């Protein structure tokens, strides 16, 4: 089974980016114990004040899919939803590299 | 100094994606010994046959900047240029997460 990668861009209501960043960092703490999650990094883009990008690498697509049904993920989605105006995802197949 | 992240999308002439992937994987081998390069992953996107995304995390922006002047990087750019029709970059400040 090949690895699974994801770039997710969240756009927030004006001025709510930092609150979402905090929630995503909490989520990444929860990921420490989630098997199959190799990388979950929260990023602030250079030129967009109300956006956050999350970089994920999973051992396989099904590990990522299963993570969406964790209780913690569902609670996070509920809490974050009011802050968010848009979500864009780029699905990837990581094929190799450093730190991979 | 904060970390530096980069998503780079390369678009190739039709049918030349796999050649570029090979070159980028070679580049990532070279990165093993480059200080300041924490992550360099080559990814194939889900729905775009002639594109490659590279995910990078560097210890700081200047480490990334310095890497562009390495002889190996210059040679790679020369070799890859004929395959490439477009480059798009998203510059990021990684703020935390798992595997960070």
């Amino acid at each position: 089974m090949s690895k699974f990668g994801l770039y997710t861009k969240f756009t927030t209501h004006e001025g709510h980016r930092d609150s979402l960043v905090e929630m995503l960092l909490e989520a990444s703490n929860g990921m420490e114990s989630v098997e199959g999650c190799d990388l979950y990094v929260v990023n602030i883009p250079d030129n967009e004040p109300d956006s956050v990008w999350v970089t994920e690498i999973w051992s396989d697509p099904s590990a990522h899919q299963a993570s969406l049904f964790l209780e913690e993920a569902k609670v996070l989605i509920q809490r974050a939803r009011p802050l968010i105006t848009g979500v864009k995802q780029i699905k990837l197949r990581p094929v190799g590299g450093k730190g991979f």
Side-chain angles (χ1 to χ4, degrees), chain A:
Chain A
M1 180 75 76
S2 66
K3 293 213 183 206
F4 176 72
L6 198 59
Y7 298 158
T8 305
K9 180 186 186 179
F10 296 99
T11 307
T12 67
H13 292 286
E14 202 181 324
H16 287 76
R17 199 257 308 277
D18 291 352
S19 303
L20 183 62
V21 165
E22 284 308 309
M23 287 184 198
L24 292 168
L25 288 172
E26 269 180 55
S28 74
N29 279 336
M31 289 294 173
E32 293 294 341
S33 60
V34 174
E35 214 169 324
C37 177
D38 297 342
L39 188 81
Y40 187 100
V41 176
V42 181
N43 306 276
I44 292 174
D46 217 20
N47 292 321
E48 293 174 292
D50 297 310
S51 298
V52 187
W53 282 94
V54 177
T55 312
E56 294 171 68
I57 299 178
W58 292 82
S59 58
D60 60 82
S62 62
H64 171 255
Q65 199 59 33
S67 76
L68 302 177
F69 294 95
L70 294 172
E71 195 52 36
E72 294 83 346
K74 289 195 259 180
V75 169
L76 173 77
I77 291 166
Q78 288 288 1
R79 285 175 59 209
R81 188 171 288 155
L83 306 179
I84 294 170
T85 60
V87 179
K88 174 185 162 186
Q89 289 194 312
I90 299 170
K91 292 180 186 176
L92 302 165
R93 182 162 59 84
V95 292
K98 180 177 183 177
F100 174 74

